Amino acid sequence: MPVRMTQLAPFDLIVFGGTGDLAHRKLLPALYYRELDGQLHDDSRIIAVSRRDLSAENYRDWAHKSVAAQVSNLCNMSMERFLKRITYLSVNVEENTGWESLEETLKGRENIDRAFYLSVAPSLFGPICSAIGEHNLVTDETRVTIEKPIGRDGESAHAVNETVGSVFKEHQIFRIDHYLGKETVQNLMALRFANVMFEPLWNSAHIDHVQITVAETLGVEKRAGYYDTAGALRDMVQNHLLQLLCLVAMEPPESMAADSVRDEKLKVLKALVPMDEERVRRNTVRGQYRPGASAGGAVQGYLEEVGSPDSQTETFVAAKVEIANWRWAGVPFYMRTGKRLASRLSEIVIQFKDLPHSIFLEEAGTISANQLIIRLQPDEGVKMQLMIKDPGPGGMRLRKVPLDMTFAEAFKVRNVDAYERLIFDMIRGNQTLFMRRDEVEAAWKWIDPILEHWSNDKEAPKGYTSGTWGPSASIALIERDGRTWHED
Ligand code: NAP
């Protein structure tokens, strides 16, 4: 079935960090795809901004190469149209130079949707917003997107929010968590709220526990400098994993309106059982990868990779999270995330309870409890594990069978990158898939005590061999409760 595309009203998108890695790998290819689908009005412009002294033509060459590196089968006509709408300006935020050229470029276009995308180090969010304010570049139809990380603890996140909030109103601020733009994450909402069959089962009476895994096979690569000051808890758990948890656990929102959804997510964050010292000790595991094998080749350990032999930064986190409300009391949410793990896999597993009573003879075989598996990567899709009768004669023998819907196979459509959806939601002014200030601060409020107890703790993160599923303590964390991590 053809996908319906509506053209957007003209806009000016100003990308700070236009020469950076995110622009190269994600933003430019995402924008090109929207061009290909005819969604960009002739009068829409992309204005790339960064420090270096480049001509617009040099930048367009670079942008062309960026898109070609990510997109196979380029369409020459679309590419030509795409490049024509791109321009480049040199602004040095730290030295506060070059703003006049941006002012000049935007002049006379005050009635057109204006979107600033801050794809730069978080330390520049404040200075950029202040300068945007001072140069009177904020119109009623202006929005700003800020990338993660928003702060490195509750206090710094509050400071970032204050600075950005002093120039932009909350309805103009788009805090991006690209996990929320993934097809399967959207489908989680469709699954829960567009079908009647799940809601009656979606609670502690029928669900035994939930697992959320976000596993990478890569090490820190080029992000070593940033990563060593952040670690997996700040980089992944505070935002992506907690957001996924919220979408699984939230009450049905009144509508898909941004604040309805965000109000419900906020309630979940507020209902998380606080991590006191005892809970941090019992219910969290932090690890750090050691040398091993990944994708068939030998790889260095974290300490060698970052060149910092004393680093205590965690590259793996597992945690048991409890939610104190009627729906989820007594249902643990187990989360784990890490680098250099056995495979690249992101999934949510809803583990239903065992049957209250089996009517089948022992010869029928073991009856496994149902599982709903929502896969975010590598192959986005949804799988339901059911028990059925083994076909053919031979009596009643039961077998576990997946009802499997891999989206790429089911719909034969290109897998749309989260950034394509999110950039355009931002330009349209739809905040449903973006985090509100109070959500970000509530997430930090839960994370801060973990950071604090870990930093007081003299114990180093537990080592794990690259290419495995993390430290054995992570397996012990879940097995202690008589459960196991899901394996296909
Ligand atoms: P990056 O590759 O280091 O790029 C930084 C950009 O900022 C460059 O375009 C740089 O260009 C520009 N810049 C640096 N100092 C500047 C200054 N004083 N004035 C103006 N421009 C300046 O970073 P990135 O990986 O693209 O990440 C950008 C943001 O996205 C960060 O907040 C990061 O945490 C977030 N993020 C990135 C990824 C990813 O996969 N890369 C994923 C999630 C979130 P010049 O050197 O030419 O000035």
Side-chain angles (χ1 to χ4, degrees):
M1 207 199 305
V3 184
R4 278 169 296 157
M5 292 289 169
T6 23
Q7 196 174 63
L8 259 65
F11 61 80
D12 281 342
L13 173 66
I14 304 106
V15 182
F16 281 88
T19 55
D21 177 65
L22 190 69
H24 165 68
R25 287 190 309 108
K26 294 289 182 183
L27 307 183
L28 287 164
L31 289 161
Y32 166 79
Y33 272 124
R34 301 294 90 219
E35 178 81 76
L36 191 65
D37 285 340
Q39 274 199 296
L40 306 190
H41 191 280
D42 281 348
D43 194 25
S44 292
R45 302 187 304 173
I46 299 163
I47 301 159
V49 177
S50 75
R51 270 174 314 192
R52 72 194 72 168
D53 193 16
L54 282 178
S55 67
E57 203 171 328
N58 287 155
Y59 184 80
R60 284 195 277 268
D61 283 348
W62 185 83
H64 190 164
K65 285 186 192 129
S66 296
V67 176
Q70 310 291 333
V71 180
S72 48
N73 300 331
L74 283 183
C75 162
N76 289 340
M77 250 168 61
S78 303
M79 179 52 97
E80 204 176 304
R81 245 189 358 252
F82 181 59
L83 295 176
K84 256 195 208 150
R85 61 175 87 248
I86 299 182
T87 187
Y88 176 83
L89 299 174
S90 169
V91 174
N92 189 324
V93 178
E94 272 149 347
E95 292 174 7
N96 204 16
T97 55
W99 288 100
E100 295 68 27
S101 59
L102 182 57
E103 222 177 309
E104 192 57 35
T105 306
L106 295 177
K107 207 157 133 194
R109 292 177 64 90
E110 288 74 15
N111 296 328
I112 285 178
D113 287 347
R114 185 174 288 179
F116 292 100
Y117 196 116
L118 310 194
S119 178
V120 291
S123 57
L124 299 182
F125 294 168
I128 292 178
C129 289
S130 304
I132 287 174
E134 281 157 23
H135 289 267
N136 294 320
L137 301 179
V138 184
T139 61
D140 287 347
E141 295 307 322
T142 296
R143 331 186 198 295
V144 64
T145 296
I146 54 177
E147 265 293 343
K148 76 162 199 187
I150 299 170
R152 47 179 290 105
D153 53 22
E155 200 182 328
S156 50
H158 179 79
V160 171
N161 284 329
E162 282 291 297
T163 323
V164 178
S166 66
V167 178
F168 294 94
K169 299 196 177 75
E170 184 61 29
H171 75 269
Q172 298 177 299
I173 304 171
F174 290 69
R175 298 176 189 83
I176 205 162
D177 183 328
H178 70 275
Y179 268 60
L180 294 184
K182 284 181 183 281
E183 192 71 27
T184 328
V185 175
Q186 311 254 295
N187 244 304
L188 176 56
M189 289 208 259
L191 211 64
R192 284 196 61 194
F193 305 125
N195 296 288
V196 77
M197 60 201 260
F198 291 110
E199 177 52 25
L201 304 178
W202 210 260
N203 54 52
S204 61
H206 302 284
I207 292 178
D208 178 74
H209 72 277
V210 175
Q211 297 184 16
I212 301 177
T213 296
V214 177
E216 297 173 70
T217 50
L218 294 175
V220 288
E221 318 289 306
K222 290 182 193 153
R223 296 175 76 216
Y226 153 73
Y227 196 87
D228 202 40
T229 61
L233 188 70
R234 288 187 176 98
D235 190 48
M236 299 298 292
V237 180
Q238 188 274 340
N239 35 64
H240 306 320
L241 276 86
L242 282 182
Q243 284 291 321
L244 295 180
L245 177 144
C246 285
L247 293 176
V248 173
M250 72 183 182
E251 294 300 313
E254 201 177 283
S255 70
M256 280 296 283
D259 279 336
S260 296
V261 174
R262 300 185 311 173
D263 285 347
E264 296 307 333
K265 286 196 289 163
L266 180 65
K267 285 183 203 160
V268 176
L269 291 166
K270 286 184 169 173
L272 296 180
V273 174
M275 296 298 269
D276 58 20
E277 193 172 349
E278 174 59 12
R279 278 203 164 76
V280 173
R281 201 181 50 74
R282 272 184 65 77
N283 293 351
T284 68
V285 173
R286 56 183 170 141
Q288 194 183 63
Y289 60 82
R290 301 283 177 253
S294 180
V299 292
Q300 290 182 318
Y302 178 76
L303 299 177
E304 299 79 43
E305 202 175 334
V306 296
S308 169
D310 300 322
S311 173
Q312 302 263 314
T313 301
E314 78 286 352
T315 61
F316 176 95
V317 176
K320 176 180 169 182
V321 184
E322 300 153 284
I323 305 176
N325 64 18
W326 270 51
R327 191 184 282 266
W328 297 113
V331 181
F333 282 61
Y334 299 96
M335 305 195 294
R336 60 178 172 167
T337 181
K339 292 191 173 290
R340 287 272 187 248
L341 296 184
S343 59
R344 176 172 171 262
L345 168 82
S346 297
E347 66 177 20
I348 301 168
V349 178
I350 313 292
Q351 176 75 47
F352 289 90
K353 289 197 166 168
D354 285 329
L355 290 180
H357 165 72
S358 170
I359 62 166
F360 300 99
L361 294 173
E362 227 173 86
E363 294 86 87
T366 314
I367 302 182
S368 308
N370 297 127
Q371 284 177 322
L372 177 67
I373 302 162
I374 299 147
R375 226 175 22 238
L376 279 67
Q377 56 188 28
D379 310 305
E380 293 197 55
V382 176
K383 191 157 79 174
M384 183 84 210
Q385 295 281 17
L386 300 171
M387 295 304 298
I388 61 147
K389 178 193 166 294
D390 227 349
M396 177 62 84
R397 292 186 191 283
L398 299 171
R399 186 177 2 156
K400 187 165 92 170
V401 175
L403 204 62
D404 195 343
M405 189 167 66
T406 302
F407 297 153
E409 283 168 25
F411 301 111
K412 311 262 180 265
V413 290
R414 180 177 64 81
N415 198 350
V416 172
D417 188 80
Y419 279 94
E420 281 183 56
R421 178 171 295 120
L422 294 174
I423 295 173
F424 279 75
D425 275 3
M426 187 265 284
I427 292 170
R428 283 189 200 103
N430 179 354
Q431 289 184 307
T432 305
L433 299 177
F434 295 82
M435 293 177 295
R436 203 167 57 193
R437 173 179 183 157
D438 47 8
E439 278 183 82
V440 174
E441 292 184 13
W444 278 118
K445 194 170 171 197
W446 187 79
I447 292 283
D448 275 349
I450 308 179
L451 288 170
E452 190 189 326
H453 293 306
W454 280 358
S455 81
N456 294 339
D457 188 4
K458 300 283 168 283
E459 217 180 299
K462 294 182 169 39
Y464 61 95
T465 306
S466 289
T468 66
W469 281 106
S472 53
S474 151
I475 296 164
L477 172 84
I478 190 165
E479 290 195 346
R480 198 176 64 208
D481 295 344
R483 301 174 174 116
T484 51
W485 290 111
H486 172 250
E487 274 177 35
D488 240 346

